[in-house]
C-alpha cells in the first residue's frame, strides 16, 4: 500500500472511532478524537476550544441524548504531511434521555485533521450545520 492510501486508511479509522463513540454515548472516547488544541464548532453555539472544553460539552450533550449518527465523506484530501481535510454529509437522530420525540437532522460538515506525533490523525477543527431550514424559516 502506498503512503497516500495508508494515510487515507488512517483517516477512515479516525472517522470510524468518532462515529462509534458518538453512537455508543461515550463522551471520553468522542472527545479523544480531537487534538489537544482542537476547535469544535457546533451550530448555533460558541466554539468549544481545547480538549477540556470539548470533553465538557460532549458530556453534557451525551447526557441529554442517545445518538444514532452517520457520516458520508464526499471528499478527503491530504494537504501535506501534517494536515488533511474532509468534507461530507451527516445524518443524526437524537433521542432525548428524559423522554419525548426524537430529533432528526441532516447536514454538512468540514473537518480538518492534524497528524499526531505517533502518525495518527485527530480532529483539529470540526464544524457542522443543518440542511434543514431555521425554525423561523420553517413556519
Amino acid at each position: 500500500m502506498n503512503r497516500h492510501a495508508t494515510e487515507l486508511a488512517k483517516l477512515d479509522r479516525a472517522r470510524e472511532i468518532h462515529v462509534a463513540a458518538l453512537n455508543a454515548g461515550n463522551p471520553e472516547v468522542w472527545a479523544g478524537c480531537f487534538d489537544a488544541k482542537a476547535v469544535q464548532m457546533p451550530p448555533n453555539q460558541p466554539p468549544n476550544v481545547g480538549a477540556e472544553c470539548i470533553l465538557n460539552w460532549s458530556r453534557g450533550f451525551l447526557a441529554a441524548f442517545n445518538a444514532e449518527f452517520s457520516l458520508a465523506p464526499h471528499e478527503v484530501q491530504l494537504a501535506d504531511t501534517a494536515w488533511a481535510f474532509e468534507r461530507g454529509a451527516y445524518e443524526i437522530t437524537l433521542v432525548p434521555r428524559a423522554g419525548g420525540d426524537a430529533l432528526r437532522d441532516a447536514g454538512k460538515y468540514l473537518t480538518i485533521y492534524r497528524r499526531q506525533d505517533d502518525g495518527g490523525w485527530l480532529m483539529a477543527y470540526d464544524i457542522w450545520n443543518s440542511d434543514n431550514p431555521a425554525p423561523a424559516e420553517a413556519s
Side-chain angles (χ1 to χ4, degrees), residues 64-82:
F65 298 102
N66 287 312
E68 296 173 18
F69 177 63
S70 64
L71 291 175
H74 297 162
E75 179 180 7
V76 181
Q77 295 287 326
L78 295 168
D80 59 23
T81 59

Side-chain angles (χ1 to χ4, degrees), residues 32 41 46 61 75 83 89 94 105 122 126:
M41 297 170 272
F61 181 77
E75 179 180 7
W83 297 96
L94 299 171
D105 190 27
L122 293 176
D126 189 39

Side-chain angles (χ1 to χ4, degrees), residues 6-75:
T6 299
E7 296 307 320
L8 290 176
K10 288 180 186 179
L11 288 163
D12 287 345
R13 182 67 184 133
R15 184 182 327 101
E16 290 167 3
I17 292 168
H18 168 207
V19 170
L22 182 53
N23 286 329
N26 190 325
E28 286 75 21
V29 173
W30 187 26
C33 295
F34 289 85
D35 180 81
K37 298 178 184 176
V39 179
Q40 180 191 55
M41 297 170 272
N44 307 311
Q45 297 181 34
N48 300 315
V49 179
E52 186 175 339
C53 187
I54 291 169
L55 177 57
N56 290 335
W57 186 87
S58 299
R59 283 179 175 150
F61 181 77
L62 291 174
F65 298 102
N66 287 312
E68 296 173 18
F69 177 63
S70 64
L71 291 175
H74 297 162
E75 179 180 7

